[in-house]
Amino acid sequence: QVQLLESGGGVVQVGGSLGLSCAASGRSISTYGMGWFRQSPGKERELVAAINWNGSGRYYAGSVKGRFTISRDNAKNTVYLQMDSLKPEDTAVYYCAMGDSTSWSRRENGYDYWGQGTQVTVSS
């Protein structure tokens, strides 16, 4: 059974930083693209960042480009999202997802497995 467990969420002040981790079990992530999505109240879930199987290709939403960094450690079966210069609009539940191929996808249906999510709150 594949499980993704996010950690690292919490409350941070505007301009602060948080680092999220997503530890996978039940399957190696080494041959799959991975993504981080987020959803805030009243809004649709959106792709924030994604990375292909070996880290050579990455995607960032325009709203986070230059502030967020996605990375992966296949040996640790873990994906990371470093979030800097946080803004109130970054407040959301952040979800980790495992793709269905070596590359990343913009679409939710391009991901087979999802974590339960971790809350990130940016306070002003």
Side-chain angles (χ1 to χ4, degrees):
Q1 181 180 359
V2 177
Q3 290 187 322
L4 303 176
L5 181 62
E6 302 99 338
S7 61
V11 180
V12 64
Q13 290 190 332
V14 171
S17 298
L18 276 178
L20 303 184
S21 298
C22 171
S25 61
R27 175 186 283 187
S28 170
I29 70 168
S30 62
T31 58
Y32 294 96
M34 300 291 293
W36 284 97
F37 289 76
R38 69 184 180 188
Q39 187 169 25
S40 51
K43 293 187 177 181
E44 293 186 354
R45 189 155 57 183
E46 63 172 343
L47 178 64
V48 174
I51 188 168
N52 70 346
W53 69 283
N54 65 357
S56 63
R58 306 181 194 205
Y59 164 85
Y60 295 99
S63 58
V64 307
K65 194 172 294 184
R67 301 187 298 120
F68 289 12
T69 303
I70 189 171
S71 61
R72 63 191 298 155
D73 186 335
N74 288 343
K76 294 183 178 180
N77 226 29
T78 301
V79 178
Y80 306 95
L81 184 68
Q82 178 63 35
M83 306 183 294
D84 299 319
S85 301
L86 284 161
K87 304 176 180 180
E89 52 264 41
D90 294 319
T91 295
V93 177
Y94 284 72
Y95 298 90
C96 172
M98 179 183 290
D100 60 6
S101 72
T102 56
S103 60
W104 55 267
S105 173
R106 291 179 185 269
R107 307 182 313 274
E108 289 191 31
N109 62 10
Y111 296 85
D112 286 337
Y113 298 98
W114 295 79
Q116 292 298 309
T118 185
Q119 177 70 46
V120 171
T121 302
V122 184
S123 65
S124 55

